[in-house]
Amino acid sequence: MNLSQCRRMAGALIGAALLAAAPAQAEPDVLARPALASAKAASSVMLAIAQAGERIVAAGERGIIVYSDDQGASWRQAAVPVSVSLVGLRFANGRDGWAVGHSGVVLRTRDGGQSWVRQLDGAGAAQRALDAAKAGQGGARALADAERLAAEGPSKPFLDVQFFDEQHGLVVGAFGLMFATADGGQHWQPAMERLDNPKGKHLYAVQARGDECYVVGELGAVYYSKDRCQAFSAVQTPYEGTYFGAVATGPRSVVVFGMRGHVYWSGDAGASWRQSEIATPASLMAGLLLKDGSILLSDETGRLFRSTDGGRRFEPAPAAQPAPTTGLLQTANGSLFLSGVRGITRAALK
């Protein structure tokens, strides 16, 4: 696959997998139809990757979730009750994990990713938002937004998930969607009022380190919380384009990245920013804080870039067979795994 083909495939992947911007109705059967078992599940398009104890878990298109207990040598497919694309994945420990995706789906596992149950979907999320707005939460604008959300059906995707422990978590998504739970997802409540987001900007990622939390999204959206995502302040950055992710590197230190090779770093929780040096015009889709304290980013073609100075400068970090990448994971023994259009691949930084 040449570079041009990679970029075309990456553009299609990003557009289709992360966000369908048109408010089309979700197909009802994909919420009721379990993911199809496939012998080639591990080579399907994978959109997120995470670690559950020593286990590696990845999630992707058509509700497919796979897991490996032998460092990627072999994979098993999980039992998943839906067949929508899953784009976000997080584990609080070796057992308790959550996956989110299209049609407003939130799934939970209690066995390290082997089996999953649905906790929420777009219809339920819309009803919860409408109930909260009718009870006076958020005012007239919140009520109008909730009524529109309910009328459009379960069409809005959740795009990322963050959990601080087995009980307290947050999901974010398209059109400013944000829901929170304090009981492991037994109850999800709308939390859109925590952000100053009157235009309903898409929220692509939520990243936490300690008690600090960052949410990033389109049109330069960056929000910072110092109390586990309970209250956010809007942060101004020099870029007005989309951010696809953030890497919290230390107390009040963060790197945000997004479209057309734009990367910025801050050491004061966003009070000031400096643009990072990086040699790519391509959109940056995934980031990871490595165990040695360096930062790894991947652009839409799968090329890797590494910073050893807190995000000020990124140097190319060649890896074999680059391909469009959606997620990065480093295991306890230092092995690097990538999720993307080729499923899950293991990379060795050169």
Side-chain angles (χ1 to χ4, degrees):
M1 180 182 295
N2 61 37
L3 182 58
S4 177
Q5 289 171 324
C6 280
R7 284 180 172 167
R8 287 197 297 271
M9 184 176 289
L13 170 67
I14 294 163
L18 293 185
L19 178 64
Q25 294 287 338
E27 297 179 34
D29 62 331
V30 297
L31 292 172
R33 186 176 67 233
L36 182 66
S38 171
K40 298 182 178 180
S43 59
S44 301
V45 174
M46 289 293 159
L47 303 170
I49 188 167
Q51 192 156 15
E54 297 298 316
R55 174 176 289 170
I56 303 169
V57 184
E61 288 191 342
R62 302 183 303 280
I64 291 177
I65 295 178
V66 295
Y67 60 93
S68 173
D69 291 322
D70 55 11
Q71 291 292 297
S74 62
W75 297 88
R76 297 180 180 179
Q77 186 174 354
V80 179
V82 298
S83 52
V84 299
S85 291
L86 302 170
V87 302
L89 187 62
R90 190 83 61 176
F91 282 82
N93 51 47
R95 305 177 311 277
D96 299 295
W98 289 262
V100 300
H102 285 197
S103 301
V105 161
V106 180
L107 306 178
R108 167 144 193 195
T109 179
R110 295 177 181 270
D111 56 14
Q114 295 182 53
S115 62
W116 298 77
V117 296
R118 186 173 64 190
Q119 288 190 324
L120 186 66
D121 59 33
Q127 188 59 53
R128 285 165 175 76
L130 186 58
D131 291 344
K134 288 181 176 179
Q137 182 176 317
R141 183 182 183 87
L143 180 58
D145 289 344
E147 289 175 338
R148 184 174 63 253
L149 189 66
E152 291 175 349
S155 60
K156 309 297 187 295
F158 286 123
L159 300 173
D160 202 8
V161 52
Q162 176 67 56
F163 265 78
F164 294 94
D165 52 42
E166 302 96 308
Q167 302 298 320
H168 298 86
L170 192 78
V171 296
V172 299
F175 301 97
L177 287 181
M178 177 182 284
F179 280 71
T181 182
D183 58 11
Q186 294 185 55
H187 301 88
W188 288 93
Q189 299 300 329
M192 281 79 81
E193 79 285 351
R194 298 183 187 183
L195 299 183
D196 181 16
N197 187 18
K199 294 183 179 180
K201 298 175 184 178
H202 302 323
L203 306 175
Y204 283 100
V206 52
Q207 172 71 210
R209 181 181 176 90
D211 291 338
E212 293 183 309
C213 181
Y214 296 87
V215 171
V216 301
E218 69 170 340
L219 298 175
V222 177
Y223 300 91
Y224 168 70
S225 168
K226 59 183 178 181
D227 58 2
R228 292 193 168 196
C229 299
Q230 295 300 308
F232 286 89
S233 56
V235 175
Q236 297 298 316
T237 74
Y239 182 54
E240 295 183 354
T242 293
Y243 292 113
F244 290 121
V247 178
T249 58
R252 299 177 62 80
S253 298
V254 67
V255 171
V256 296
F257 55 89
M259 290 186 67
R260 299 177 181 177
H262 282 87
V263 188
Y264 296 87
W265 65 272
S266 174
D268 52 18
S272 62
W273 296 90
R274 291 186 62 180
Q275 187 166 9
S276 304
E277 296 181 38
I278 188 168
T280 178
S283 295
L284 294 149
M285 304 305 303
L288 179 68
L289 182 66
L290 297 175
K291 296 185 183 302
D292 64 2
S294 62
I295 306 162
L296 193 66
L297 300 180
S298 176
D299 72 12
E300 62 187 346
T301 71
R303 290 177 296 177
L304 300 176
F305 300 85
R306 191 173 190 172
S307 172
T308 58
D309 59 5
R312 293 162 179 79
R313 180 180 177 84
F314 286 85
E315 299 286 354
Q321 298 181 331
T325 302
T326 58
L328 302 168
L329 173 69
Q330 188 180 34
T331 59
N333 67 3
S335 297
L336 181 66
F337 290 85
L338 289 66
S339 62
V341 298
R342 295 178 179 172
I344 308 99
T345 57
R346 188 168 181 168
L349 296 179
K350 295 182 180 178

